[in-house]
Amino acid sequence: MLVVLLAIVCLGVFAVYSMKKPKHFPPGPMWWPLVGCSVEMRREMRRAKGRQQIVLEKMCRKWNTSVVGMKMGSQLVVCVSSFPVLKKVFDNEAFFARPNNFFTKLRTIGSCPGITCAEGSLFEEHKRFVLKNLQSRTGKMEMEAKIFEELEDVKQLIDDDRLKVQFGQIMQPAVVNIIWSFIAGQRIKRSDPKFQTLLGLLDARSKAFDMGGGTLSNFPWLRFIAPDWVGFTLINNLNMELKSFFTKTINDHYSTWGEDRTGDLIYSFISQGRTKDKSGTFTDDQLLMIILDLFVGGAHSSAAILDFAFLMMMHYPDVKHRVQACLDDAFASSDQIQYQDRHRIPYVEATLSEVMRYCHVFPVGGSRRALRDTELEGYTIPKASPAVEIWRQRFNLPFQDTTVLIDLYSVLNSKDVWGDPENFRPERFMVDDQLAVIENYIPFGIGRRRCLGESLARRILFLVFAEVMKTYDILPEEGAPLPPIDPQPGITALPQPYKARFVRRDSVLNKS
């Protein structure tokens, strides 16, 4: 009886202590015992229809700050908004690491962190390796040839069902194939069952992460009580299937590897591991995670941006007509546009920039964690909550450090920067008929953790958008209202599924 009473008292003391905010912690919602402000955040997320960026923006306005402090379960969470504050976070090595919460660990399909969650020398070495491989291939015409190969496939599918085209469903497999060509040196036919398997796994995994992200991150113990409800079982199963799929491809490369085989990322990785790996980090598990990082980072985002781009062309026909006039003035209908031609059509690039600003596919960027107690905008960002530190020091338990959320939406939607961010206006990216460089425009992030696939993504977006706009007029379905612009809720803000008419442009000027 005494033991039970003592346990209750200890639990009560811990519950009360868990409500105490660290000294000089940023303002934010009230904390409740054990759950922190999770209940209030869930309620606000429902009101905002699952759009986390809207909730974070509301909180910044409520407490009149660019740094908001929260507690989700036992984990401290700080949200930073506005470009000046984000830049301080990006430039401060105290915030260079990725979160170490349970959900971050769950995303792995091996025992290594890949690149997204790597730190220190491991991150620097493998970042250099991937960037070198990307630059050596995206800078060559062979990568553009692969993009055009997929684009021809996309055009054929558009022509087959031109009156009710669901572009997102057509484009995502094309993007996956472009990334797969870079990784494995080959494309997979859409009709191939293993390609459909890969697409299904990536799509299901994305939905599972949207379903379980916040819950599993804040209350990882729920996986023992309700693993199906929080998505733990599904994510685990999907991770195992993805690992099996990628492992087979890696093994196939091992069986055909030679020192002269450097035609794709996997061959290059094997060569690095067998001939130049002084750190001993070029392992199969690390390769598995690098492959997954590249897929997760590019499969949905590039296709989603293009899907949004053609949706915006239906909503803003004046912009569409100016884009097409720009293309018609610069190219004949038979010309194949190259990435190096982009300076000839700056308004096309400006339109894509405005799509990425306005539609914010990644409203909350790659999160960080506090490596030590740090000051930010006059507030103290502790490495972890006081209660967590006590349990960690006394019992050596793997509790989570403070997570820092990067609110990119606040930067791309700031009235101070853009004046009228609620309006879709590509002209804001033009100065004297040239593409403007705007410091606050950071759709791919900034700093050492800037998106590794930016160069490949920009090529895909420009070439596909320009070629499709040159070839087709995009119109709403006959008799149907314009599809909504509001995105689906989720970690990645994808457009709601829509159909459109893609009509070949017979009026394009034929130039000799």
Side-chain angles (χ1 to χ4, degrees):
M1 184 66 178
L2 182 62
V3 174
V4 174
L5 183 61
L6 184 61
I8 293 173
V9 171
C10 289
L11 185 61
V13 170
F14 179 75
V16 173
Y17 194 67
S18 71
M19 295 175 62
K20 184 180 179 181
K21 294 189 177 184
K23 193 174 182 180
H24 303 308
F25 194 65
M30 178 180 175
W31 300 354
W32 294 97
L34 303 180
V35 299
C37 54
S38 301
V39 175
E40 180 176 347
M41 286 296 293
R42 277 184 168 277
R43 183 170 60 247
E44 291 296 330
M45 286 284 283
R46 284 195 296 270
R47 290 173 179 170
K49 298 180 180 179
R51 290 175 290 175
Q52 186 181 23
Q53 69 272 21
I54 303 299
V55 176
L56 297 177
E57 182 184 48
K58 181 179 178 181
M59 290 168 60
C60 288
R61 287 200 308 268
K62 182 176 181 179
W63 280 281
N64 191 30
T65 180
S66 294
V67 186
V68 174
M70 298 168 279
K71 189 176 185 184
M72 311 296 286
S74 63
Q75 182 183 21
L76 293 183
V77 177
V78 173
C79 173
V80 293
S81 304
S82 83
F83 181 76
V85 182
L86 261 66
K87 196 170 187 305
K88 289 180 181 179
V89 171
F90 289 138
D91 292 341
N92 192 335
E93 290 192 359
F95 300 116
F96 187 61
R98 293 297 191 195
N100 62 343
N101 55 42
F102 173 77
F103 196 64
T104 301
K105 295 180 177 66
L106 186 60
R107 64 175 284 280
T108 64
I109 57 175
S111 58
C112 293
I115 296 179
T116 300
C117 294
E119 300 173 16
S121 59
L122 177 67
F123 171 78
E124 296 295 344
E125 182 178 18
H126 286 262
K127 173 189 172 184
R128 283 195 301 271
F129 170 78
V130 173
L131 276 177
K132 181 181 177 181
N133 274 269
L134 277 167
Q135 289 166 359
S136 68
R137 290 176 174 82
T138 55
K140 294 180 179 179
M141 295 302 292
E142 64 184 73
M143 181 53 71
E144 290 197 16
K146 291 182 186 299
I147 294 173
F148 278 110
E149 183 179 6
E150 294 302 324
L151 186 52
E152 287 305 309
D153 201 20
V154 166
K155 283 183 178 180
Q156 184 59 59
L157 290 168
I158 288 174
D159 290 339
D160 289 345
D161 195 12
R162 60 188 181 278
L163 299 182
K164 291 186 176 181
V165 176
Q166 195 163 338
F167 189 81
Q169 285 189 352
I170 294 175
M171 193 64 218
Q172 187 183 341
V175 173
V176 168
N177 239 333
I178 292 167
I179 297 172
W180 191 247
S181 294
F182 164 70
I183 291 171
Q186 58 185 339
R187 76 185 298 270
I188 314 174
K189 291 183 178 180
R190 288 176 183 251
S191 58
D192 192 323
K194 69 178 181 180
F195 189 47
Q196 298 304 318
T197 298
L198 178 59
L199 291 174
L201 287 172
L202 290 171
D203 190 50
R205 191 176 187 272
S206 172
K207 291 176 181 176
F209 268 64
D210 285 348
M211 175 181 73
T215 305
L216 275 171
S217 179
N218 303 325
F219 306 105
W221 46 267
L222 281 174
R223 71 188 188 276
F224 301 116
I225 300 172
D228 293 342
W229 179 69
V230 296
F232 177 74
T233 302
L234 178 59
I235 292 172
N236 256 343
N237 291 340
L238 291 170
N239 282 347
M240 289 174 61
E241 291 184 59
L242 274 172
K243 182 176 182 178
S244 175
F245 186 95
F246 293 147
T247 298
K248 185 181 183 307
T249 302
I250 293 171
N251 289 339
D252 289 343
H253 275 66
Y254 270 115
S255 66
T256 56
W257 176 82
E259 289 190 27
D260 59 331
R261 299 294 296 268
T262 58
D264 59 51
L265 179 79
I266 298 178
Y267 279 133
S268 295
F269 192 96
I270 294 172
S271 296
Q272 185 80 9
R274 289 189 171 181
T275 61
K276 303 176 184 178
D277 184 16
K278 296 179 181 180
S279 63
T281 59
F282 281 76
T283 64
D284 288 355
D285 267 354
Q286 177 68 355
L287 178 55
L288 278 169
M289 277 308 302
I290 287 176
I291 293 172
L292 184 63
D293 284 343
L294 291 170
F295 265 117
V296 170
H300 286 290
S301 57
S302 295
I305 292 167
L306 287 165
D307 208 7
F308 268 125
F310 297 123
L311 175 61
M312 301 308 287
M313 294 304 96
M314 287 193 288
H315 276 266
Y316 295 90
D318 289 347
V319 174
K320 177 184 69 173
H321 295 321
R322 183 172 174 183
V323 166
Q324 290 171 331
C326 180
L327 289 163
D328 293 346
D329 288 342
F331 303 101
S333 59
S334 58
D335 288 344
Q336 188 176 76
I337 303 171
Q338 305 295 330
Y339 188 61
Q340 64 186 20
D341 296 325
R342 61 192 184 281
H343 69 280
R344 297 170 59 185
I345 44 176
Y347 188 77
V348 174
E349 278 207 283
T351 301
L352 277 172
S353 296
E354 180 69 343
V355 168
M356 286 188 276
R357 184 204 69 81
Y358 188 90
C359 299
H360 41 77
V361 170
F362 285 112
V364 180
S367 303
R368 307 293 180 89
R369 88 170 191 268
L371 291 172
R372 57 180 180 270
D373 292 359
T374 310
E375 184 178 300
L376 183 66
E377 296 295 286
Y379 302 113
T380 297
I381 312 300
K383 176 178 171 59
S385 71
V388 161
E389 282 300 317
I390 289 174
W391 283 78
R392 178 154 50 191
Q393 292 171 13
R394 291 187 180 179
F395 303 102
N396 194 30
L397 294 175
F399 278 107
Q400 305 156 4
D401 294 330
T402 300
T403 290
V404 181
L405 299 180
I406 308 298
D407 183 9
L408 292 178
Y409 174 83
S410 67
V411 177
L412 301 177
N413 204 49
S414 168
K415 285 185 178 293
D416 293 337
V417 175
W418 307 104
D420 58 342
E422 70 281 0
N423 292 326
F424 183 79
R425 190 167 56 83
E427 290 76 12
R428 71 176 81 248
F429 286 96
M430 298 287 290
V431 175
D432 297 330
D433 294 326
Q434 295 299 318
L435 188 70
V437 177
I438 302 175
E439 183 185 16
N440 299 60
Y441 178 64
I442 52 172
F444 293 96
I446 55 175
R448 285 191 290 172
R449 284 196 177 270
R450 189 184 184 109
C451 175
L452 291 178
E454 179 180 352
S455 60
L456 178 57
R458 286 189 180 277
R459 268 180 167 74
I460 294 171
L461 296 175
F462 174 80
L463 293 173
V464 173
F465 182 69
E467 189 64 29
V468 171
M469 289 298 295
K470 182 166 73 80
T471 308
Y472 298 96
D473 195 16
I474 295 96
L475 302 165
E477 281 190 277
E478 284 281 4
L482 281 171
I485 295 175
D486 290 341
Q488 302 179 65
I491 296 173
T492 304
L494 304 176
Q496 297 182 45
Y498 69 89
K499 293 181 180 179
R501 286 183 292 151
F502 279 64
V503 181
R504 283 199 171 253
R505 298 178 62 224
D506 297 328
S507 59
V508 174
L509 296 176
N510 290 314
K511 298 180 181 179
S512 56

